[in-house]
Amino acid sequence: MSESIDPVVDLALPAHHLLWAKTRDIGTDAWHPLLLHLLDVAACADGIMAREPQGTRDRLAAALGLDWVDAQPWLLLLIACHDLGKGCPGFQCKWKNLSGLDVGPSPDTSINHAFVSQVELLELLIEHGWPEDMAELVADAVGCHHGERAALLTLDRLGGNRRALGKPAWQETRRGLFQSLIAVFAPGAPPSKPSLSGPDFMLLAGLTSFADWIGSNEAVFPFGTPHDCEDPSAWFRTRRAINVENALNQIGWLPRLPLMDDARPFDEVFGFAPRPLQTAMVNALAAIDQPTILLIEAPMGEGKTEAALYAHLELQRRLGHRGLYVALPTKATGNAMFHRVLKFLQSQRGDRQLDMQLLHGGALLNDEFQQLKPGGISDIAKGGDVRASEWFTHKKRALLSEYGVGTIDQALLTILPVRHQFVRMWGLANRVVVFDEIHAYDAYTGTLLLHLLRWLLALGASVVLLTATLPPQTRRQLAELVGQKPPEPDAIYPRLSVYQPGEAVRSTSFDADPRRRLTLRVEAVTADLDAIKAALEAQLVDGGYALALTNTVQRAQDLYRDYGVGAPLMVDGEPIGKRLPDDTEVYLFHARFPADARQRREDAVLKLFGPPDNTSPAPRTGRKILIATQVAEQSLDLDFDLIVTDLAPIDLLLQRAGRLWRHARGARHVAEPNLIVAGLAEDPPPCFGKPLWWGAVYREDVLLRTRSLLRGKPTLQLPDDIDVLVASVYEESVDVEASLEARLDRAMQDALGKEFAHFGEAHRSIIGLPDDASWKTGMRFTLYDDDEPGVHASLKVRTRLGEDSVLVVPLFASDAFDPTVAPDFAQAKAWYLRAVNLSRKGIVTRLRAQGVPEGWRQSALLRNAYPLRLDSESRWIDDPQVRISSELGLIYETKETP
């Protein structure tokens, strides 16, 4: 197989042998015939499917209403036809028209060849006896392989565009291609199934794009010649046996085999006896025989993660699921979970290599993930290893990896109208998908999650939902999602619920770990920072480890300032806290630090306030205070003797309380676990607007009901009170003082209006639902990925609502910054590691007006970042009230700021 042909083309060959698909137009006349490229991509699809579980093959066969033996030739033929439309004058004239066919006057070189494929394939399938609606949808699925679907008007215009499609000879040439493919794949009788479902459409579209990406790699699929087209069957066999196998091995797409061939008891998998929660999961799994939603509601520290990982093992073994994705609310929680899942996979990996990806914008900062990435191509000969193949690190391909941990945002992109969303959907199909901390989402993101769950079930995936607290309304919505009613009465908390389509919801209670039962004393203080400091001083007389959790970064910074000057506590030459004259250590952790500084602080916080080291537990000594925002609220395994927290919704307060006395230790310096709530002592309650800004973070009606509820409860019994407290607040059964009723009514009207609007916006945002016709239209406007540079916020997809934000890179006077020059990778990485998100409206507006520098647009790392140029005092040169402090992070100064 040659890499090039003579410049003089043999016109005696059939015209469809002389159509080109790919070329190198720099110093060479090398080109790859279109027929051979179509066969390459079909061979890739065949290789991908051969490494999939049988369930994936059966599902795609069922999409056509056939068994796999009969469906396979048709599927390969369909996928091969993805670029049939390159056989048109508009495309062939982009380089050289080697076919000798008449292109006519001024051929339309702006033509989208994928849509030509769609138009031509539809006609060919109908001629071969396919039902019209089925033919139309499979042609659409194949035709959208460049990322977006054609609108009906586009297709109508294209069908009559002779400049685009060419004279009749061009159509005959395309049909010559089709007949050559028919001869290779020899499909049998056409499907009789009348149409294609939404999930089936997404699987076919995703597989087509995936195969095209692999088959277009010239390094693995070198060019052929027109003479190779004379025996297309031989070409297909060779490429399938050699090139495809090499290509899949190189990118790390290995056979999707279960980690367990036989059932193994929980204690054998993890090395310890199951807790009651984990025993309940083992028992529930025994009755599951189809893709399912499992909901675990249990206190913090009960072993929900291990239960979910065991569920993955069993569901993968019994239902043929093809991997695992764990979705979390934030990057910080994703980092913590990545470590746990990596350790788990390394203990279960057996004798084959696994691929695992970390899917969030800060993956570059995670040393553990970076160490998994090989320097070049994956080496499958090593076996028994966990790697992170470079091929999957591209954001559109990451969900194709067998194992992954990341944010929920990456999962939600599968149902939002971004380019290639169906590739992401292919990646999550027939997987086990775990969503942790699901209570953390508002009406908009929570509604998107429910829609995603509907798609995942329809795509053959199983889902595990983890939460410490959950409003009853969400359980009702989950039951409705599978067409059932919630059990009456519901099992008492903590519980495990099983939602299977077509079956009654099963909800089972289990005992909480008695070692984790706590009686918390609730203490009320005012919202003043001085009151928080006084409460900490009073409780930490003899030492202890405390958390002061504020609802805003500004309050965290101000509280840290109020502790005065101290000797800096350093890590890697950078401050993470300070030691006061009385030896109290104070640390600050929030989301407005540059990325590298935030990662340093996160690592230090976990080391200082995390679980004891079981190998050599050291006693806690001294007095240490962590001042933090919500970044310390979720998933990070932190343990404190005392917590002072701003007032927040009851479920989040209970989540914060789960960090009290979390691990068994020796003697603590604080006599009993206390939860001190700032903003609970005032009567009437403080204004939740300026200057606190709590109302911008949480619903005021929920804050008011939480306040009234806690003022009547001097102690909390955990976990016994969790379910009742959450239900009382969210089912609006809390008695609020008469003096607050008018304020509560106003707050409820405002909240319900916003919630209704957010529900509606979420419904309008998705690609449609899998079980009706809403997904069929190609008219839906395609939005840009959320990190696309230079695009107005209204044109970007949103997985969460909130203020528009930008990613900025602080640049100091010593940085050699030239906006016209593209930095090399080392410099771009160094700058990217400083990045921080800003959402203050005036700053965002000004930066967007300035735009991303021309040089940065050429950098894969910096293409969506804005420079924040600082003067010698680390102040933004465009607004001196914005500055970066190594001690406090990014600061918005006002006249009142000291």
Side-chain angles (χ1 to χ4, degrees), residues 23 246 273 281 394 412 421 423 443 492 526 574-575 640 670 703 861:
T23 180
N246 289 340
M281 175 62 82
H394 187 281
L412 292 175
Q421 54 77 212
V423 176
I492 62 172
T526 66
E574 296 292 333
F640 299 95
V670 177
L703 291 176
L861 292 175

Side-chain angles (χ1 to χ4, degrees), residues 553-554 557 590-594 836-838 888-892:
V553 173
Q554 179 73 54
Q557 291 172 329
H590 57 70
R592 229 159 58 200
F593 281 102
V836 60
N837 271 298
L838 301 186
L888 298 172
L890 188 131
I891 302 169
Y892 302 130

Side-chain angles (χ1 to χ4, degrees), residues 137-154:
L137 288 171
V138 297
D140 189 354
V142 170
C144 67
H145 65 276
H146 284 304
E148 59 185 301
R149 298 168 65 186
L152 293 177
L153 183 60
T154 300

